[in-house]
Amino acid sequence: MQLDSWAVFCNDALQLNASRQLAEQLVVPLLDEESVVLAPQAFFLSYRQGCLMLLDRQTLRKGGLAVDIEPRPGEQHSYPAPKKDLLAQAIGRKTRSVIDATTGWAQDSLAIFRMGYELQCIERSPLMAALISDGFQRLAQKDWMLNRQLQPPRLISGNAIQLLADLAVAPDCIYLDPMFPAKPKKSALPKKAMLILRDILGDDLDRAELFAAAWQASAKRVVVKSPDYAEPIAGKPAETHQGKLLRYDVYIK
Ligand SMILES: C[S@@+](CC[C@H](N)C(=O)[O-])C[C@H]1O[C@@H](n2cnc3c(N)ncnc32)[C@H](O)[C@@H]1O
């Protein structure tokens, strides 16, 4: 992604201080209603409706995408949620600690967290890390979190290929969901959130290197989420949990 492709946008005086702080922290321009018009950026972070949101030029005035911290449709609203879906089978019932090394919109991370696993998250895009951090702050304020004195997962901003090599304690499981090249004719239409992520970040071309780092760093297993058309990332996995359009390949040590 080019450096000038995103900025912080603020058109609400009440959010000016927080927006200025965010722009300084991320070392990106802070734009207002006037300066945004001719600015070269295509994507913006903006505080809106109590969330940090990702906007493109179409959603500059209204809308945007934030990390959704609510349970997925069909997920049981209890904590810990039952470990019964494909994701839980792939992570393993006996697994305790998990690192999600490709957090993205944190939807898998949050599902893993709600199932009661000890979770740490890594994300290398500073833009996504800012959105995740905002989501985790909102999560911390939820009644069910406060009542149980739960802390949101720790988020580490940086490249997992380097960060995993420096871990003090090996987690039981490392979870990977890198961006694979799209195959539009064969796959379902991805959600807007994933499309925009692809527009901003592109494919993760260093997937094999990431897998190698995860394999070295995990104590027991590496789980790779793949679209159904993609070849397994590291040869034949020990287990595959097949969904409708995706699968979880499990490599066991
Ligand atoms: C397909 S998205 C993950 C979606 C996520 N599983 C979810 O539920 O929203 C891939 C994400 O992994 C991040 N990523 C890819 N390679 C990485 C690496 N080596 N280190 C850290 N983050 C990485 C990308 O920046 C991107 O945000």
Side-chain angles (χ1 to χ4, degrees):
M1 181 173 56
Q2 291 182 351
L3 277 178
D4 65 359
S5 63
W6 60 283
V8 174
F9 171 62
C10 177
N11 61 350
D12 174 354
L14 292 176
Q15 304 297 345
L16 189 55
N17 280 343
S19 304
R20 191 173 284 140
Q21 229 177 326
L22 183 67
E24 276 171 16
Q25 180 198 322
L26 296 171
V27 201
V28 295
L30 172 62
L31 303 174
D32 60 15
E33 283 283 9
E34 255 177 60
S35 54
V36 78
V37 178
L38 293 177
Q41 286 82 9
F43 297 101
F44 310 90
L45 286 178
S46 194
Y47 289 105
R48 183 177 279 184
Q49 296 162 26
C51 304
L52 184 63
M53 289 199 163
L54 176 61
L55 317 178
D56 57 15
R57 292 245 164 217
Q58 281 165 3
T59 49
L60 207 49
R61 305 275 165 264
K62 205 173 159 208
L65 293 164
V67 166
D68 183 357
I69 56 166
E70 297 305 326
R72 305 198 228 219
E75 192 180 313
Q76 204 164 305
H77 286 231
S78 59
Y79 180 85
K83 293 177 180 156
K84 61 174 190 192
D85 64 2
L86 288 181
L87 175 61
Q89 287 168 31
I91 300 273
R93 278 166 226 271
K94 290 190 185 151
T95 294
R96 289 168 64 102
S97 52
V98 181
I99 292 187
D100 181 350
T102 55
T103 305
W105 285 105
Q107 296 307 287
D108 294 327
S109 272
L110 287 163
I112 292 167
F113 178 74
R114 286 188 295 259
M115 287 189 281
Y117 292 103
E118 284 165 29
L119 176 69
Q120 293 191 71
C121 297
I122 302 178
E123 172 54 52
R124 74 170 153 195
S125 154
L127 174 131
M128 291 313 298
L131 290 160
I132 299 162
S133 168
D134 173 74
F136 287 179
Q137 281 170 39
R138 284 181 281 118
L139 178 71
Q141 299 311 313
K142 287 275 167 191
D143 285 347
W144 65 271
M145 291 282 292
L146 293 169
N147 293 341
R148 293 175 178 82
Q149 298 185 321
L150 292 171
Q151 298 294 321
R154 174 169 175 235
L155 170 66
I156 310 167
S157 181
N159 190 334
I161 296 171
Q162 277 102 51
L163 291 167
L164 291 175
D166 294 334
L167 288 181
V169 181
D172 294 337
C173 171
I174 297 182
Y175 180 76
L176 305 177
D177 175 20
M179 196 80 81
F180 285 82
K183 219 178 186 186
K185 278 189 187 152
K186 280 199 176 171
S187 57
L189 210 57
K191 280 191 183 160
K192 166 127 201 226
M194 283 301 164
L195 285 173
I196 205 165
L197 203 60
R198 181 182 297 284
D199 281 352
I200 299 174
L201 303 177
D203 295 329
D204 293 316
L205 300 174
D206 50 2
R207 295 186 294 277
E209 216 185 319
L210 177 60
F211 178 86
W215 183 247
Q216 279 291 321
S218 84
K220 293 182 181 160
R221 65 173 66 199
V222 177
V223 175
V224 185
K225 181 175 173 181
S226 291
D228 56 356
Y229 55 79
E231 284 294 310
I233 202 168
K236 196 173 181 308
E239 290 172 13
T240 288
H241 300 271
Q242 183 71 51
K244 227 174 167 189
L245 295 159
L246 60 86
R247 58 169 208 276
Y248 298 99
D249 290 336
V250 184
Y251 295 88
I252 297 177
K253 285 189 128 171

